[in-house]
Amino acid sequence: MAKRNAIILAAGTSTRFVPLSEETPKALLNVKGEVLIERQIRQLREAGVDDITVVTGYKAEMFEYLEKDFGVRLVFNEDYARYNNTSSLIRVIDRLDNTFVCSSDNYFPDNVFLNTPDNGFYSSMYSEMPSGEYFLATDEEDRIMDVRVGGSKGWYMVGHVYFDSAFSKAFSRLLSDEYSKEETRLEYWEDIYRKYISVLPPLFIKRYCQDEIREFDTLDELRDFDPGYIDDTRSPIIRSIAEKLGCREGELSGFLRESPKDAPLEFSFLKDGSRLLYRFADDSISIR
């Protein structure tokens, strides 16, 4: 069996997770008693994957303990705020081989890494409803033949991906060539894959049920999975707002960032059906 390694992408700012992401990277949130990225590292180790690299960026200093406590390698992406995840993958291009490429904020109720893959694959779940996700078209042998942005009644990309060595070699060459272009740096690495899918070694679809891979794009989605966050968001900002309004944290929902990510924090939220605006600069609350 080929030796496998893992790369966990943890550089992003998770702006949709405002305001918790202003205080703590989403990967370091405690979900049902475990820190998300720590749980994923443990699951990889249980599957025999000991060579783990974590690509950091936003609040990188908060991840430093992982090197000492979990023995992972940390790689810093100084372009995390300017470019997309291509800028993270290019920094570990020398690590791509038989490699799991993982999102740091996924929660796997059961260990998805235990079954040794025979081929490179991209994980997928089914969506009945229209979505802006990346939807997959496959042939009769489950090879991924095309990827389209947006769709419904189909299987879309989610969670972890596994590169076998043949795919890694071919994709690394393309990524190196493409990364000189500004438009490529602004894209996801999956966009390069979409562009060159016909000339790359095949990846196969790996289908999962809805409860096998959990993603939390907003605080409300996290609350649905871990009710402990309903009245205790672990956010000093939300706690302060609740105190000002004389309510429970659970009465506040629908958090949306209103300011650009490089501007002073402003976000709106719902209380009693009204949308209010919070400005961090002057700690003020007003009707949106």
Side-chain angles (χ1 to χ4, degrees):
M1 180 180 71
K3 189 170 180 59
R4 298 167 295 158
N5 68 326
I7 294 165
I8 303 177
L9 303 179
T13 56
S14 302
T15 54
R16 285 185 291 175
F17 221 84
V18 67
L20 272 68
S21 56
E22 290 293 310
E23 301 155 336
T24 306
K26 187 162 52 159
L28 297 180
L29 292 178
N30 190 303
V31 177
K32 293 194 172 181
E34 291 181 278
V35 174
L36 282 172
I37 196 169
E38 292 180 12
R39 178 181 175 87
Q40 196 168 130
I41 291 168
R42 280 192 284 267
Q43 289 178 324
L44 284 162
R45 291 263 164 79
E46 288 170 6
V49 181
D50 296 317
D51 182 356
I52 302 171
T53 302
V54 178
V55 185
T56 65
Y58 177 63
K59 295 188 182 296
E61 68 282 357
M62 296 184 71
F63 292 89
E64 290 175 358
Y65 78 98
L66 294 174
E67 201 164 35
K68 176 178 179 293
D69 295 352
F70 287 84
V72 302
R73 176 188 180 190
L74 299 180
V75 174
F76 178 64
N77 172 13
E78 66 266 23
D79 288 326
Y80 75 90
R82 289 197 298 160
Y83 298 131
N84 223 313
N85 69 8
T86 51
S87 68
S88 286
L89 208 57
I90 196 76
R91 281 165 172 77
V92 289
I93 198 167
D94 61 318
R95 310 288 294 168
L96 295 178
D97 191 11
N98 293 296
T99 306
F100 287 108
V101 179
C102 307
S103 298
S104 61
D105 55 357
N106 286 153
Y107 182 99
F108 305 113
D110 296 315
N111 193 336
V112 296
F113 305 111
L114 289 175
N115 295 326
T116 303
D118 296 321
N119 306 102
F121 68 80
Y122 209 118
S123 303
S124 180
M125 291 197 303
Y126 186 83
S127 176
E128 185 75 18
M129 302 299 293
S131 166
E133 300 285 355
Y134 284 32
F135 281 78
L136 304 176
T138 59
D139 66 10
E140 64 279 0
E141 295 181 351
D142 276 347
R143 281 186 291 255
I144 300 172
M145 306 302 293
D146 192 19
V147 182
R148 297 186 179 92
V149 180
S152 64
K153 300 182 187 299
W155 294 85
Y156 65 93
M157 290 175 160
V158 65
H160 57 300
V161 59
Y162 179 71
F163 293 178
D164 59 26
S165 59
F167 183 91
S168 286
K169 288 175 184 176
F171 186 77
S172 295
R173 287 194 295 270
L174 287 172
L175 179 60
S176 295
D177 292 341
E178 285 284 317
Y179 199 72
S180 62
K181 304 172 186 176
E182 181 75 8
E183 62 267 26
T184 296
R185 299 177 187 185
L186 294 169
E187 293 178 330
Y188 296 104
W189 72 257
E190 288 91 341
D191 293 312
I192 301 175
Y193 169 57
R194 292 172 58 220
K195 183 177 179 181
Y196 292 102
I197 195 168
S198 63
V199 299
L200 284 164
L203 293 181
F204 291 75
I205 189 171
K206 190 174 180 67
R207 296 179 176 86
Y208 287 91
C209 297
Q210 287 297 320
D211 290 336
E212 291 182 291
I213 301 175
R214 302 303 301 254
E215 287 188 316
F216 317 107
D217 289 330
T218 65
L219 174 57
D220 291 338
E221 290 180 3
L222 176 57
R223 283 168 156 173
D224 286 341
F225 184 70
D226 185 347
Y229 274 87
I230 293 174
D231 278 321
D232 181 10
T233 61
R234 289 72 150 173
S235 166
I237 295 175
I238 296 179
R239 188 179 307 122
S240 174
I241 291 172
E243 290 173 356
K244 287 177 181 291
L245 297 176
C247 67
R248 295 180 296 105
E249 292 180 44
E251 296 176 58
L252 311 176
S253 64
F255 297 89
L256 296 173
R257 188 179 184 109
E258 302 287 354
S259 55
K261 62 182 179 182
D262 56 349
L265 175 64
E266 294 183 8
F267 63 87
S268 63
F269 60 95
L270 294 172
K271 182 185 184 298
D272 298 331
S274 297
R275 183 158 287 279
L276 305 178
L277 181 69
Y278 175 79
R279 293 185 177 89
F280 185 78
D282 57 6
D283 193 27
S284 66
I285 301 170
S286 59
I287 296 175
R288 181 73 171 90

